[in-house]
Amino acid sequence: MSDDDLRWMDRCLELAALARGRTAPNPMVGSVIVRDGALLAEGFHERAGLAHAEVDALRKLAGRAEGATLYVNLEPCCHHGRTPPCTDAILRSGVRRVVIGMIDPNPLVSGKGAAILESAGVELTIGVREPACRELNRAYIARMSERSAPTAQRG
């Protein structure tokens, strides 16, 4: 993990926080795309039902980011919900490396998004600024924990 990784993840967290109070039940997520140290695009998940942060940033590059590094504070989704999987858009874009702040606790994603990217040859770095990423989305993490807890423990 480099100083650049820390700096760009800090920017992801700033972007994600712009949507505070508007994304529930989804998490707050920001994304930055960089190549050769230069910012190419950035985006964030504005509210539930709209494009996720990764897709928002990639759209600003017409979906193309060959050889770039994509930073995101939460593992990219890999399932169809209101929006298609972010992993698909990332793979189509030509991104070479993805830096992830934390693994998504959602059981539909948890580790699967990272595995899809890695199996396709994308270089991954996971856990950059993880405590800050977890703090930003503590309500989302709590909801996911309740959702995946056995019924007997929910009370």
Side-chain angles (χ1 to χ4, degrees):
M1 172 176 354
S2 70
D3 287 344
D4 280 344
D5 289 347
L6 297 171
R7 178 169 60 102
W8 292 117
M9 188 59 67
D10 286 343
R11 181 60 182 150
C12 288
L13 291 164
E14 290 170 4
L15 290 164
L18 293 174
R20 189 177 307 280
R22 297 192 319 248
T23 61
N26 294 342
M28 292 177 279
V29 183
S31 184
V32 175
I33 302 171
V34 176
R35 184 171 39 233
D36 299 325
L39 176 66
L40 300 178
E42 56 186 26
F44 68 100
H45 179 59
E46 269 189 70
R47 66 179 168 82
L50 294 183
H52 291 181
E54 305 92 310
V55 171
D56 184 41
L58 285 167
R59 282 182 181 163
K60 294 169 183 166
L61 300 172
R64 303 305 311 158
E66 291 85 359
T69 297
L70 183 144
Y71 291 84
V72 63
N73 59 290
L74 186 71
E75 176 184 14
C77 72
C78 57
H79 64 93
H80 286 271
R82 290 192 218 176
T83 62
C86 292
T87 52
D88 290 355
I90 292 168
L91 292 175
R92 281 193 308 271
S93 75
V95 162
R96 175 187 56 80
R97 179 175 179 239
V98 175
V99 178
I100 299 168
M102 65 173 279
I103 295 297
D104 192 333
N106 182 337
L108 295 173
V109 180
S110 192
K112 297 176 188 92
I116 287 168
L117 295 172
E118 191 170 46
S119 70
V122 175
E123 178 187 337
L124 294 183
T125 301
I126 300 171
V128 175
R129 296 276 196 238
E130 185 168 356
C133 294
R134 295 183 76 74
E135 177 61 26
L136 177 72
N137 279 305
R138 70 180 181 272
Y140 170 76
I141 293 167
R143 276 193 306 279
M144 287 299 114
S145 295
E146 291 167 8
R147 187 172 147 189
S148 62
T151 306
Q153 293 181 353
R154 289 191 203 163

